[in-house]
Structures are given as C-alpha cells and as structure tokens.
Amino acid sequence: MSDKYLDLTRSGPLAVVAKKLGLPRPAKLRRTDPRSVDTPLVPGPVLVLADEGSTAEATTIAEGLLDWDLDVRRDSRLPEHERWGAVILVLTGLSHPAELSAPALELGSTLRQLASSARVITLSRSAPAPAPSPDGVAPALAAARHGVDGFVRTTAKEMRSGTTANGLVLAEGVEVTAPSVRGGLRFLLSARSAFVDGQLIAVGSSAGSEPQDWVRPLGGAVAVVTGAARGIGAEVAAVLARDGARVIGVDVPAAGEALAVTMNRVGGIALQLDITAADAAERILELARSRYGHLDIVVHNAGILRDKTLARMTADRFDALLAVNIAAPLRMNDTFAGELGGGTAPRIISLASTSGIAGNRGQSNYAASKAGVIGMTRALAAPMAQRGGTANAVAPGFIETEMTASIPPVPRQVARWSSSLQQGGQPVDVAETVAFLASPQAGGINGQTVRVCGQLMVGQ
Amino acid sequence: MASTHRQAAIIGGNRIPFGKAGSAYGSVGNKDMLTAALDGLVARFGLAGERLDEVAAGAVLKHSRDFNLTREVVLGSALDPRTPAVDLQRACGTGLEAVLTVANKIALGQARVGVGGGVDSTSDAPIVVSDRLRKALLRASRAKTLKQRLSALSSIRPADLAPVAPDTGEPRTGLTMGEHQALTTARWAISREAQDEIAFASHHRLAQAYERGFFDDLITPYRGLDRDESLRPDTSLEKLATLKPVFGKQIADAEATMTAGNSTPLSDGASTVLLADEEWAGERGLPVLARVIDAQVASTDFVSGEEGLLMGGAYAIPALLARNEMTLAEFDFVEIHEAFAATVLTTLAALEDEDFCRTRLGLDGPVGSVDRERLNVTGSSLAAGHPFAATGGRIVGTLAKLLHERGESELRPSQPARGLISVCAAGGQAVTMLLEAGGSQ
C-alpha cells in the first residue's frame, strides 16, 4: 500500500506545483533497514541540552549514549554544513514553568540545523497526582511538569522533513539510568519510532532490564500474534522475528493461505484458529509449550470492522465486532494470566486505535471495543507487574493497509494530511512499537497506550 | 516382523481444498498446487528453512516439462533448497505409495524426516498431439538445413493437428475406469440404493467434519477455496436417486446403477504428509499423530476379465491382515477410497463372501465385514473429490488425526487404535496401509 501523492510530490515537477500552492509535502521517513538494524541509530550527532536544575542528570544521560557509539555533544553550536541527528532536552529538574524558557529557546536555535527524520526528545518528571490534603502538591511544580506536555506536542507540530518530537515522562524515583528510560530513549532516537510523533510515554518504574543485544532484544522470547495473516499483524510477526523472537501466527482458518506465506517468511508457525473459540488460549499455550517450552509475549492484534452509524447499527454487527475485538482478548487473558514467561518477561500488548481515543463517525462499536482495550490494559498493569511483566496497548492512527485502501480516495487523502507528518503510517511502524513494548528494556512502561499516528490531530 | 524396525511417525498432514475440474484451480498447474500444499505444511510445523531428508510425491497426469516436478516444487517452497526430492507414480495409489516410500526410508534409518504427497490437475491435463505431428516436429527439430526443416514440416496434414484428448481408459482393454467398475458392480449385483447411501454418507460426514473444525489443521485454503468444491452438504437420497446412470449402460442383463452422484468427480488438488522418526519429532516438540505399521500392494488380472480392475483392495487387505494377525473387526477406522461408491461396496462384498475368500484368496472362510460406522467416518472421495495422486495424502492425514483423537482403541482394550487404508488404482492395482494411533508428545 502506498501514498501516490507522497511519491509524486517528493521530487520532480509536481513537487514544485505542490510547493507553490502551499499543499502538504510529506517527507519520506527514515525506517529500519532489516539488513542493518539500528545502523546508524540516528542520522547525525546527538545534542544533549538541559534546564539548570537537570545538568547532572543530563550528563549521566550523555555518558550513557556513548555506550551506543553516538557522537554526543553538549554545545549547541554546529558548523553550518552539519545537521543534528537528535536533540535531547533533559527537563527532569524543572520546578517552575519559567525555568523552561532557556532550554526551550536553545532547542529552538538548533531546529534549522536538523537532519531529515531527526529526533527531538524531552525527558521530564510526571506531574504529581492531586493529593487529598490542601498542602499536598506545589502548584508551580505541577505546572512546570505538565507544561512539558503542551511544549512537546507543539514542537512536534512545527517539525519538518520527517522529524518527530516525543517525550519520556519519568515517575518520581525513576532514575535516568533505569532500563526503560535508556530503552525508551533508544527507541525514540532510532528509525523504529518513525511514525511515533507528539507522544509522551510514561516510564512508571525501574522494572525491566537492558537486553544482552540491543539489536536483537527479543532473543529467547516466544511470541504469539493474533490476526497475523496480513497487514499490521503480519508486520508485527516479522519485526518480532527480526528482533529475535520465535513467533506463532494465529488467524482464522479462512485466512490460512496468507498466514502460511507470512509465517514461512518469518520462520514461524502458522496456527489456523478462530480466537473466539472457547479454548483458543489453551490451544495457543499448548502449541507454544510443546514446541518451545514457554510463551512470553501475547500480541492481541486480531480485529474486525463493522462500520455503520449508530442509527443504522444492527445487533449482529455490534456483537460480532465486540466478540472478536475485546471479548476474545479478555477471555484469552484469563487463561494466559500466570502462564506467560519463562523465556523473557511476560508481555501482553493489545492493539487499540485512535478511534478508541477520539471516537470516529460510523464506528460506535469499533471505538467502544478499542477504548475497551485501553481500559483492559490499564487494569492488567498491576497484576502483570506482580508477575514481573507488563501490559500495554498501541493505538495506530491512519496506517496504509488493505483495510484503509478501501476508504474512498478523498477522505483517505484527508486522513493522511490530518497528521503532523502529513502521511499515513506503514504497518511496520506499528510493529516496531509493539516490538519495543515487548522487549526487556520496556519493563518499566506498564498500563500505557502508545499512539503510532504521526501525531494525528484527533484526541491526545 | 513389524517390530524388527523402527516405525515412521506421522506428524501431520496438509492439503489444499480440492477443486472441481476447470473451476477454482483451472488456471494453475501441478507445480503451483503442490507447492501451496507443501508450504502450508511447512508453515504449520514451523519448518521454513529446514533441510528435510526426502520429499517424495508424484502426479498421474503429468506434463513432460514436469519431469522433475517434486524437486522443482521443493525449490519453489520455503524449505531449504538442499532438500532432495523424488517423483514417483502408481496411478491413483501414487500419494499413498509416496507416503510409504518415505515411511520405509525412515523405518530403515535412511531418513529421519520427510514428506510424502501427490498432486493432480484434470484442468491442466497434458494434451497429446497425434503421432504423425509429433514425429514431423521431432524431424524438423533435428533438421540441419532450412530445406530439410521445410520438408519435415510440409509432411504435416490437417488431420494430424487434432489433439488426442486425455481419458481414463485402460490401454489394454479400451474401457474407461467407470465401465470397468460397472462390470464388477454387475458381477456383485450392487444396488443403486446401496451406492447412493455411500455417496450420501460421504457428503454429510465430510460436511460435519468441516463444521466441527476437524480440517482446521489439515487444510490450508488456496485461491479463494477453503472447502472442497465438490462437497454438497445438502444432498439427499432423493436428489441422488434422480440422477441418470452414466456407466454400465451397455451391459446386458444388468441395470445401470452408476451415476455422477455415486462416482467421483474429476478434480484438482494436492496433499502432503510429514513423517519423521520419533526422536526427531521429540526433539522439536512435534506431535506423533500415528505410526505407519505396515503396508501391502496387490494387482489383479483385469485384462483377461478374471477379476475387476478396481478390486486390488480385496487381495491386498487380507494379506495385510494375515501378516499383522488382525481381523477387520479390530479396526477403529477403515478408509476405503471411494473411486466409485460401488468400488467400496464390491470390495466389502468380496471380503464378506465365503466363496471368493476360499477360491480367490485360498482362505478357510470369509475375511469378515466392516462396521459401516467405522468406514470413511469423515467422508471420502465422493464428497471431497479425487485429484488422483493427492488422494493418498488426504486419507493418511485424515486417518492419522482420527487415530490421534481416538487414542486408545474401542475394540482392542488398552491398545492404541488402529486404522486401515485401501486405495485402488488403474492397472488393477491397490495400495493398502495399516496405521496405529501415536501418543501425544
């Protein structure tokens, strides 16, 4: 699936026309080359900036980046012909909104010298939760910390040439050397996060561990992906396998032909199974255990669409959709609970949708199921943490798949242009985020919903 | 003697749904179909990139360009390209013979893991040109000068251009398979009703098996088909009774009883079976659905008319039973390929007939009868279709799974369930095989 507009306006006469008319000119995003994963990690030197109260932590971060052989700098001046690969803004010490000004403006001075598909990444602390006692929270601290939210989202909207701006939000007590801070930083720096834009990812704890091999962090893991025959599911299977996991792909028997092709491509096992069957999870677990001894990662990707406005909605459309999209994952999780792990730490990753966050006309059933996934994920966080694991969701925005190819051309183009990156994402973009959340270094990210939407202008 | 060698384990089967001739698979040939069936098997068991010790398969209707069909299929599949392959052929017994070939190599320690299978397309069947045209073309291709070439080509006459269409006729008798079976059907006085009942059961049992998901791990959909195209879940005895006889109309003193409903349709399809020694399977956590215990082939003298063309099973089965000291009543499942409903019925009638068993088999009494509730329990070729060389693999995959589900025999207390396969073939041949349920790994 490709965006013809994007291909045509990248160069040649139509590029000139588009520029003159002020039409969107989306950039070709830097994505992972499967033959040289994470090489180079970023397209240029990495600048680490900080507010005054964060210089010590900024130094720790900068030193940590050297482990990955990056060209790390602290001085924001750059020779004219050079381009920054990334700018990291460490704001963990902010205590008053006024302290944001200096580092923000210093970041601003570097923006004209960013490479294509460069990265702006903030590190900040989570705003304290409202306390019951009248003197529990300092309003200035809360304002400073939550201020980063609006700052990152706006910066993302001002970026050009495939550059993204995202933030990691550290819970109180989480060191900047925690596995998921380092892991999250690496993910956001890399081409793996090409279509993640304008997002703030919460690192809630110091759980997790750095992988033995950053390029193949899923070595030793066994994963199951539902709905693996085509589209996003097929790419999830491929990226998990690329990252070292052994993969079982599940899809309905009728999709078996495509499933076999996909699983042979990734060297996995094809399981023709309807996930709404009562014993679906038992059969998956049994297969994983008999072949590999354990099951570590579950990706609930299978989903269907049954669009109708609510006035025209029928019971069969509503019920069939809920059965596949949310009832099946709920039932399967009951079986998987306590049974995952043994190779790597347990992970449950579910596919949500921006429709589940912002709503979407004609998708009352779909949006309810996908918002349900977000709720389910939050509720799973604590029990999964107890078992040393995590549950997270990934919410794709407009992704170029067979499914979205059936949308009429004009609404389809409008949907693409409704994101800061002015294009649809590729299935691999969603898969990369799933693979990151599945990795050992993501163990401190739990109960979250990470959007992969190019900063689609709906919802948060 | 079965205990002196190791037994080959059947890990699982995979086939594509069988299509009707000239329909869903009308535009694809044997190579594509067999590759699809093999790749589905590879995906089911996670064998992409693995080097197997042998892939044996064949086709009955084969283009001359497909001289190395199975090896070409392997090269186009997800398997390691260093996997060797062999083509073989025993008419409609090809698929079962291929499974047997691999099983025997495993039993002898010559291979640890292999695939047996088969494929046939009646849609993409080779058309033979006339002998005169073929000879003229060969002369032209050998010609050294333009003049010689023109001279060779100028010898072609318009009549030489008419193609020789493929048929299922026996070269030595000129009779089609259906006409041969009609003679046997008449000899054993098999009624139209009995044949229609076999056909009715075949469709209903196959449909029920699909409904309960039995084929979810035996079939990989292909080109839009996810069920066998010939399957008629709603067929009835009344509907079957309305069909006009197509075979046996020339036989004097006998009513023609064989119709399109109780004869297998021409079909396209492919099937594969994964076999291994149990150690190999155990190392990979693969299931052992069943074991190959023994096999027997036989042929009849159909040319002289002494015996029917498709009656080989009535000779192979008793030999197999005798060697394994078993009776028909001890099998939890019996699979007799439904070339025609009458083939099943004449084979069973012969095994029940005292005179036949004494005079033809030299036994003291009848071999015995088969409980119809244990015969072709998930349907057979009448409903699924019969792409000649693909039938053996279909039956082995199905029976192995049935045996695995059953586990312990209902008939032989505390013993693993056993199943019998009989597939008749052109040339008066038959291949039979004895399988036993394997334990789960």
Side-chain angles (χ1 to χ4, degrees):
Chain A
M1 305 300 125
S2 78
D3 179 352
K4 286 267 159 30
Y5 179 89
L6 187 150
D7 296 336
L8 291 172
T9 54
R10 197 168 293 146
S11 59
L14 284 174
V16 179
V17 174
K19 188 175 184 179
K20 288 223 165 115
L21 292 175
L23 289 172
R25 293 167 64 229
K28 184 172 169 61
L29 305 181
R30 193 173 85 94
R31 291 192 168 88
T32 307
D33 178 354
R35 289 160 303 179
S36 64
V37 176
D38 292 348
T39 312
L41 192 60
V42 282
V46 180
L47 175 65
V48 180
L49 301 175
D51 71 286
E52 237 172 61
S54 311
T55 44
E57 289 186 316
T59 302
T60 307
I61 287 166
E63 282 169 355
L65 295 177
L66 297 174
D67 295 350
W68 299 329
D69 295 328
L70 297 179
D71 177 359
V72 184
R73 305 191 191 175
R74 303 298 300 273
D75 185 338
S76 61
R77 285 168 300 180
L78 193 69
E80 205 167 307
H81 63 277
E82 279 195 74
R83 293 283 178 273
W84 293 113
V87 182
I88 297 170
L89 198 55
V90 184
L91 303 169
T92 44
L94 282 185
S95 57
H96 192 280
E99 293 162 11
L100 180 61
S101 168
L105 293 173
E106 194 174 7
L107 168 65
S109 73
T110 66
L111 295 181
R112 287 196 180 82
Q113 270 186 288
L114 291 182
S116 292
S117 290
R119 299 284 185 259
V120 171
I121 303 165
T122 64
L123 273 86
S124 60
R125 293 278 169 197
S126 58
S133 64
D135 52 4
V137 176
L141 180 75
R145 290 182 174 182
H146 198 61
V148 176
D149 193 279
F151 177 73
V152 169
R153 292 183 202 278
T154 300
T155 307
K157 292 189 178 184
E158 293 180 3
M159 295 295 104
R160 294 286 174 269
S161 305
T163 293
T164 62
N166 294 289
L168 292 173
V169 181
L170 285 55
E172 212 66 61
V174 175
E175 303 279 340
V176 293
T177 52
S180 292
V181 178
R182 300 241 305 143
L185 203 48
R186 186 177 164 107
F187 170 68
L188 291 174
L189 284 170
S190 73
R192 295 172 189 251
S193 64
F195 203 60
V196 178
D197 194 13
Q199 301 308 305
L200 290 133
I201 301 173
V203 179
S205 79
S206 302
S209 57
E210 295 199 6
Q212 288 185 331
D213 179 354
W214 283 100
V215 175
R216 284 172 66 84
L218 297 179
V222 178
V224 64
V225 181
T226 67
R230 332 184 153 77
I232 290 172
E235 278 304 315
V236 170
V239 174
L240 292 178
R242 184 201 73 195
D243 279 3
R246 281 175 292 193
V247 183
I248 296 171
V250 175
D251 217 312
V252 289
E257 184 177 3
L259 182 67
V261 171
T262 299
M263 297 321 293
N264 281 342
R265 184 161 61 90
V266 310
I269 298 178
L271 176 60
Q272 299 185 163
L273 172 70
D274 184 340
I275 55 159
T276 62
D279 63 345
E282 280 86 356
R283 289 181 54 191
I284 290 167
L285 207 52
E286 188 187 309
L287 177 62
R289 285 187 169 156
S290 67
R291 294 302 306 278
Y292 302 126
H294 50 92
L295 178 64
D296 309 302
I297 300 160
V298 175
V299 182
H300 292 301
N301 165 75
I304 57 172
L305 282 177
R306 294 288 183 272
D307 288 5
K308 278 277 180 234
T309 54
L310 189 53
R312 293 160 179 267
M313 186 61 72
T314 56
D316 60 323
R317 298 177 87 84
F318 212 100
D319 296 343
L321 184 138
L322 292 184
V324 175
N325 291 16
I326 183 70
L330 283 169
R331 185 184 321 108
M332 292 166 82
N333 288 342
D334 285 343
T335 302
F336 290 136
E339 304 289 331
L340 299 182
T344 55
R347 296 279 186 268
I348 294 177
I349 297 149
S350 311
L351 268 288
S353 164
T354 47
S355 293
I357 295 169
N360 198 13
R361 186 183 152 78
Q363 295 197 320
S364 55
N365 51 358
Y366 186 75
S369 76
K370 292 302 184 182
V373 164
I374 295 171
M376 172 184 82
T377 298
R378 286 182 191 141
L380 283 170
M384 287 299 285
Q386 223 166 24
R387 301 183 189 107
T390 66
N392 288 291
V394 175
F398 184 90
I399 303 296
E400 307 282 354
T401 62
E402 279 176 41
M403 197 172 84
T404 54
S406 65
I407 299 172
V410 171
R412 191 167 71 218
Q413 200 57 57
V414 168
R416 287 171 177 144
W417 289 350
S418 304
S419 70
S420 295
L421 292 172
Q422 299 180 322
Q423 58 191 292
Q426 294 295 326
V428 70
D429 299 329
V430 182
E432 294 276 20
T433 301
V434 170
F436 166 62
L437 292 170
S439 70
Q441 67 267 29
I445 300 168
N446 195 8
Q448 304 300 307
T449 297
V450 180
R451 290 176 55 146
V452 182
C453 64
Q455 201 179 27
L456 193 66
M457 317 257 170
V458 294
Q460 270 209 314
Chain B
M1 67 172 287
S3 60
T4 59
H5 56 72
R6 74 185 94 186
Q7 289 160 350
I10 296 169
I11 310 303
N14 184 61
R15 66 179 179 98
I16 57 174
F18 292 168
K20 293 207 305 196
S23 185
Y25 308 152
S27 61
V28 294
N30 285 340
K31 201 158 72 183
D32 291 336
M33 289 193 290
L34 187 55
T35 306
L38 181 60
D39 270 344
L41 187 79
V42 167
R44 178 156 307 136
F45 296 102
L47 299 175
E50 289 249 19
R51 178 167 59 173
L52 308 187
D53 297 324
E54 186 72 281
V55 177
V60 175
L61 297 178
K62 209 163 145 183
H63 290 265
S64 54
R65 65 166 187 262
D66 285 342
F67 65 96
N68 214 0
L69 174 68
T70 312
R71 174 69 183 139
E72 284 298 322
V73 165
V74 166
L75 288 173
S77 77
L79 287 173
D80 186 321
R82 294 168 296 177
T83 296
V86 59
D87 276 33
L88 41 75
Q89 197 180 74
R90 193 199 284 277
C92 298
T94 298
L96 198 53
E97 186 69 32
V99 170
L100 179 56
T101 296
V102 175
N104 286 348
K105 289 193 177 193
I106 292 168
L108 289 170
Q110 296 166 354
R112 296 200 70 195
V113 56
V115 172
V119 58
D120 256 295
S121 170
T122 45
S123 303
D124 187 37
I127 298 284
V128 177
V129 299
S130 70
D131 268 356
R132 276 182 53 92
L133 175 59
R134 190 171 59 84
K135 283 175 178 157
L137 291 173
L138 286 171
R139 241 183 0 258
S141 74
R142 283 193 298 264
K144 290 195 173 59
T145 66
L146 180 65
K147 196 179 162 211
Q148 284 175 343
R149 185 164 299 144
L150 286 175
S151 145
L153 292 176
S154 67
S155 70
I156 299 168
R157 298 286 168 267
D160 301 341
L161 299 176
V164 182
D167 62 41
T168 56
E170 280 293 329
R172 286 176 186 275
T173 60
L175 292 180
T176 66
M177 211 168 262
E179 291 302 333
H180 266 291
Q181 178 60 48
L183 292 170
T184 316
T185 307
R187 187 183 298 175
W188 287 95
I190 304 295
S191 74
R192 165 79 182 264
E193 290 71 28
Q195 294 175 51
D196 285 352
E197 277 167 21
I198 292 276
F200 175 80
S202 190
H203 284 280
H204 282 263
R205 287 172 173 186
L206 184 68
Q208 280 165 10
Y210 271 109
E211 286 309 312
R212 74 174 173 102
F214 181 78
F215 292 110
D216 285 357
D217 58 359
L218 286 174
I219 288 182
T220 302
Y222 185 54
R223 295 200 159 229
L225 273 195
D226 59 3
R227 288 189 176 199
D228 302 312
E229 218 174 352
S230 300
L231 173 61
R232 295 279 169 273
D234 56 350
T235 196
S236 64
L237 289 170
E238 292 72 36
K239 272 190 211 166
L240 286 165
T242 61
L243 298 172
K244 287 203 172 69
V246 286
F247 299 115
K249 288 183 284 194
Q250 287 84 20
I251 303 173
D253 313 325
E255 184 201 353
T257 55
M258 294 171 57
T259 68
N262 58 39
S263 309
T264 49
L266 288 175
S267 327
D268 304 337
S271 69
T272 53
V273 177
L274 179 65
L275 300 110
D277 71 45
E278 295 205 24
E279 215 179 6
W280 191 94
E283 284 163 10
R284 286 159 183 78
L286 288 165
V288 174
L289 298 187
R291 298 183 181 87
V292 179
I293 302 296
D294 202 357
Q296 177 70 46
V297 295
S299 291
T300 65
D301 178 10
F302 70 97
V303 181
S304 73
E306 180 214 43
E307 185 52 88
L309 176 76
L310 302 179
M311 287 297 280
Y315 295 81
I317 291 170
L320 189 66
L321 295 179
R323 187 162 62 233
N324 289 274
E325 296 172 349
M326 285 187 73
T327 66
L328 283 175
E330 289 176 299
F331 287 96
D332 284 68
F333 302 102
V334 175
E335 291 282 338
I336 302 180
H337 158 52
E338 298 166 338
F340 303 90
T343 312
V344 178
L345 292 166
T346 51
T347 303
L348 293 177
L351 296 172
E352 288 171 0
D353 188 78
E354 180 152 0
D355 184 49
F356 174 90
C357 294
R358 281 179 190 279
T359 59
R360 298 288 173 97
L361 304 178
L363 300 175
D364 298 337
V367 170
S369 55
V370 171
D371 180 353
R372 293 298 177 85
E373 292 306 309
R374 303 186 183 280
L375 174 69
N376 298 348
V377 297
T378 53
S380 188
S381 305
L382 287 169
H386 171 41
F388 311 121
T391 289
R394 172 186 69 76
I395 296 176
V396 171
T398 297
L399 178 60
K401 184 169 175 188
L402 285 169
L403 288 168
H404 185 66
E405 284 182 339
R406 175 64 47 91
E408 190 185 315
S409 172
E410 289 179 349
L411 306 164
R412 301 159 64 235
S414 68
Q415 298 280 314
R418 284 191 165 185
L420 176 69
I421 300 171
S422 176
V423 176
C424 60
Q429 307 211 74
V431 189
T432 59
M433 189 179 276
L434 201 166
L435 302 185
E436 180 175 283
S440 173
Q441 287 292 301

